[in-house]
Amino acid sequence: MSNARQPTDWKAAAVQRRTRRRYAAERRFRLLGLAAVWLSASFLAFLLASMLWQGASGFRQTRVALPIDLAAAKLMVTPAQLKGRGADLALAGAGLEGIVDRAAVQAYGGAGTDLLSDGAWLVVRDAIKRDPAVLTRRVTIDVPVDSALDVAAKRDGTPQAEAIIARLKARGVLTTGWNLGFLTAADSTDPTRVGIWGAFKGSLLTMLVTIGLAFPIGVLAALYLEEYAPRNRWTDLIEVSINNLAAVPSIIFGLLGLAVFLGTFHLPRSAPLVGGLTLALMTMPVIVIAGRNAIKAVPPSIRDAALAVGASPVQVVFDHVLPLALPGILTGTIIGMARALGETAPLLMIGMRAFIAAPPSRLTDPATVLPVQIFLWSDDVDGGFIEKTSAAIIVLLVFLLAMNGLAIYLRNRFETRW
């Protein structure tokens, strides 16, 4: 017969109560976690929906049919002048803008010139360049309307603008189509002519300089600190400094870039080269920290096995440790690059907030970037720039998602399990 002491009823009941409380606490924790996920997803969905709702109209443009008789206007331009780079100057010097204004008055009365965008004559110019035969006949060309009328045609506008749009719709002369110029043009003072390509190309060139400097230097620094550096107070000081640099406000790096790259080395102002150098200083600590953590996560048995079969210390690092740590390094790099892509303050300090009417072609050309362009458009009082701001944010988000998608692909491509 066992002498084990049997638990009393009250002890068993107490254990059951504690068990029920523990299970209830676990259910509450799971519900709170699920609620947090749904709340975060709701905020993200609201942000994306609002951006898409406001920015979708920025990719569309309202146009009005403009009958114009270029033969009667007697535009003094020869076919030879319509070839090459001198065509734009030849057509502008021939008074094409005035001819377009007179055609608008003839078609729509005294207020005809107020219907058209300031860049309407540029659309006519491009039509002539595509088909010089239009100079000999009467044609109808769809040209963009004024910014206020464009906003009224796509959403709520002023009562006067809405009345004009209603009359034009009744005549059947209005059309709405995709504004491809928004993706291929640069900045402008007219909301109907602005484009994102100049800022997008500036961001691309700036990011190329940033990753070209920050990635190799950051990875090599992480390898040295983790694999070769002696453990002493100077190494500890360097590690603490790198950790502190990762938390420094970005505008401090802008001041540093202003003082060093512009004030000391006299590099060109507002250039992607200077912007990339400044953002590389800001991104490098993030890459070093992520790289050290990824290298530290490689099992010591990998190093020991490589050394046991005769590999040199350099071969161990570059042939075994670095490939295994590369997915983590790439993840940290993309996090740093995503932060750099959305930065505005350091680039404002080095002058990348200028009005740039032409996309940059070199690293030393004046340029701006997407976040700064969004900032400049959001500060404009013209209602036409509001939808362009939201459309530019959509382009920035797509750019960021593309970078993250590339990072996920590279991480999965190089990931090795052990």
Side-chain angles (χ1 to χ4, degrees):
M1 181 175 179
S2 176
N3 293 326
R5 189 175 179 182
Q6 298 296 327
T8 59
D9 293 341
W10 67 269
K11 287 185 178 180
V15 171
Q16 292 176 359
R17 285 196 300 270
R18 286 196 298 268
T19 302
R20 285 195 298 268
R21 285 197 299 267
R22 186 166 63 249
Y23 288 163
E26 182 179 355
R27 286 194 297 269
R28 288 195 299 269
F29 179 77
R30 293 177 60 183
L31 290 175
L32 288 175
L34 183 61
V37 171
W38 277 106
L39 184 62
S40 301
S42 299
F43 280 123
L44 178 61
F46 175 77
L47 172 64
L48 295 178
S50 61
M51 286 297 101
L52 290 175
W53 176 258
Q54 296 180 12
S57 59
F59 296 96
R60 295 183 293 114
Q61 188 178 64
T62 305
R63 303 180 183 92
V64 62
L66 178 65
I68 182 170
D69 192 349
L70 294 172
K74 297 181 180 180
L75 193 64
M76 297 300 179
V77 179
T78 64
Q81 291 177 316
L82 296 178
K83 299 179 180 180
R85 297 182 178 180
D88 295 347
L89 294 176
L91 290 171
L96 181 60
E97 186 173 2
I99 293 173
V100 171
D101 290 340
R102 288 192 292 273
V105 172
Q106 183 178 1
Y108 300 107
T113 55
D114 297 331
L115 299 179
L116 305 186
S117 163
D118 293 338
W121 73 278
L122 298 175
V123 177
V124 178
R125 181 199 67 185
D126 294 340
I128 295 174
K129 290 168 59 178
R130 286 193 303 270
D131 183 13
V134 300
L135 293 173
T136 61
R137 64 178 187 268
R138 182 181 179 87
V139 294
T140 299
I141 302 175
D142 291 336
V143 296
V145 300
D146 183 70
S147 174
L149 299 180
D150 184 45
V151 173
K154 292 183 288 189
R155 57 162 59 95
D156 295 335
T158 62
Q160 181 181 3
E162 291 182 351
I164 295 174
I165 290 296
R167 291 197 297 269
L168 293 176
K169 285 183 177 179
R171 294 180 58 176
V173 295
L174 281 184
T175 57
T176 301
W178 291 105
N179 182 16
L180 297 180
F182 180 73
L183 300 176
T184 58
D187 198 7
S188 174
T189 56
D190 183 4
T192 62
R193 295 171 54 194
V194 297
I196 205 67
W197 174 240
F200 183 86
K201 191 175 181 181
S203 290
L204 188 60
L205 293 176
T206 302
M207 289 298 103
L208 288 177
V209 175
T210 301
I211 195 170
L213 291 174
F215 182 74
I217 296 176
V219 172
L220 291 176
L223 284 173
Y224 176 78
L225 290 174
E226 199 60 36
E227 298 290 334
Y228 298 105
R231 300 304 173 188
N232 52 39
R233 61 178 182 177
W234 297 113
T235 305
D236 295 339
L237 179 61
I238 292 174
E239 292 177 358
V240 171
S241 300
I242 291 175
N243 292 331
N244 289 334
L245 283 175
V248 169
S250 59
I251 195 171
I252 303 300
F253 293 99
L255 293 172
L256 179 63
L258 177 63
V260 176
F261 302 130
L262 297 182
T264 303
F265 294 103
H266 304 289
L267 295 177
R269 192 178 184 87
S270 304
L273 176 62
V274 180
L277 290 170
T278 304
L279 294 180
L281 295 176
M282 185 188 71
T283 307
M284 206 176 303
V286 179
I287 297 178
V288 173
I289 294 173
R292 292 194 62 195
N293 292 332
I295 294 169
K296 192 180 300 183
V298 177
S301 58
I302 300 293
R303 299 175 177 84
D304 296 338
L307 291 172
V309 297
S312 66
V314 174
Q315 288 175 327
V316 171
V317 170
F318 287 96
D319 294 341
H320 300 277
V321 175
L322 185 58
L324 293 175
L326 193 57
I329 295 174
L330 290 175
T331 300
T333 301
I334 293 301
I335 291 175
M337 294 297 295
R339 178 191 174 192
L341 179 62
E343 283 293 343
T344 304
L347 300 180
L348 293 178
M349 297 302 300
I350 62 172
M352 294 190 76
R353 62 162 296 162
F355 176 81
I356 307 297
S361 57
R362 297 176 299 177
L363 294 177
T364 55
D365 289 344
T368 187
V369 292
L370 282 171
V372 177
Q373 189 69 81
I374 293 170
F375 168 77
L376 294 176
W377 286 350
S378 66
D379 197 42
D380 200 291
V381 296
D382 195 320
F385 281 102
I386 296 177
E387 61 181 14
K388 302 301 181 184
T389 301
S390 299
I393 292 175
I394 294 175
V395 174
L396 180 60
L397 290 176
V398 171
F399 193 7
L400 183 59
L401 290 175
M403 288 179 56
N404 289 332
L406 178 62
I408 294 172
Y409 169 77
L410 293 176
R411 183 179 61 198
N412 295 335
R413 174 69 175 80
F414 293 105
E415 187 173 12
T416 303
R417 301 184 183 274
W418 55 78

